[in-house]
Amino acid sequence: ESGSFPAGWTIETSADDGGWLVGTATGLSSDAFPIASNGSSRIIATNDDGCNCDKSEEYLITPAFDLTDATSVIFSFDAFYRDEVYQGNQEDASIEVSLDGENWIVLEDLHGHGSWDRHSVDLSPYAGEATVYVGFRYDDGGGWLYGFGIDNVVLEVPPTLEAALVEVEGGS
């Protein structure tokens, strides 16, 4: 919401527009990729329609999360993504995880909507790991496609439910 790129986040891109940008939904929109307002003053988005440049394998990567002491972890975010085809090219967006920042595992291949959509990804299989990166990946399929916007990113460690047997009564 500050209008600047979040500290510790990184971008991997071949695009000549800088890849993932911070701005308003209106400011990051284009004619064929109008991003609806999500109620936030700032979002992060990559817009292939706006630049028609190389947006293959474009990553927005969180800082490393230390999940050493966690047992259950949920990663949530709002996505604006349409999952379109244009001139035979298919765009693709996914949420991926890495333990080294280099090798990625797809957690969820995103489906498209014409509006913002809330996603939650279970990172519990990575609980106990000291270095966990989450990557938002966008690929324009080699064509002139649309884009992908994100907002309201949350890493949540739900409280552990503890139950204990306190007393047992026997009947006669």
Side-chain angles (χ1 to χ4, degrees):
E1 297 300 321
S2 70
S4 60
F5 201 73
W9 290 60
T10 57
I11 297 172
E12 291 180 10
T13 184
S14 297
D16 58 16
D17 70 345
W20 294 88
L21 305 173
V22 175
T24 64
T26 302
L28 296 174
S29 292
S30 59
D31 289 340
F33 186 58
I35 303 171
S37 173
N38 196 33
S40 299
S41 60
R42 300 281 187 269
I43 64 168
I44 296 178
T46 184
N47 184 336
D48 191 44
D49 176 60
C51 74
N52 188 21
C53 51
D54 182 3
K55 290 200 177 269
S56 59
E57 299 304 309
E58 182 156 303
Y59 278 91
L60 172 64
I61 304 168
T62 66
F65 298 121
D66 181 353
L67 304 181
T68 305
D69 297 327
T71 57
S72 179
V73 185
I74 303 296
F75 185 82
S76 302
F77 60 96
D78 294 339
F80 187 87
Y81 173 65
R82 298 188 334 208
D83 201 11
E84 297 279 354
V85 174
Y86 182 67
Q87 297 179 335
N89 297 299
Q90 171 73 54
E91 67 182 340
D92 187 55
S94 59
I95 303 308
E96 303 183 8
V97 67
S98 174
L99 299 179
D100 61 9
E102 309 254 336
N103 299 294
W104 295 92
I105 298 166
V106 175
L107 296 176
E108 182 179 345
D109 189 38
L110 297 181
H111 53 276
H113 286 278
S115 61
W116 286 94
D117 185 35
R118 187 78 180 159
H119 291 263
S120 293
V121 179
D122 184 8
L123 292 182
S124 298
Y126 301 94
E129 297 288 345
T131 307
V132 179
Y133 298 92
V134 176
F136 296 89
R137 185 188 58 82
Y138 177 77
D139 187 335
D140 66 3
W144 184 12
L145 272 294
Y146 303 95
F148 180 18
I150 64 164
D151 195 11
N152 300 320
V153 176
V154 176
L155 180 72
E156 179 184 8
V157 177
T160 303
L161 297 176
E162 295 182 16
L165 183 59
V166 176
E167 180 179 330
V168 176
E169 291 185 26
S172 46

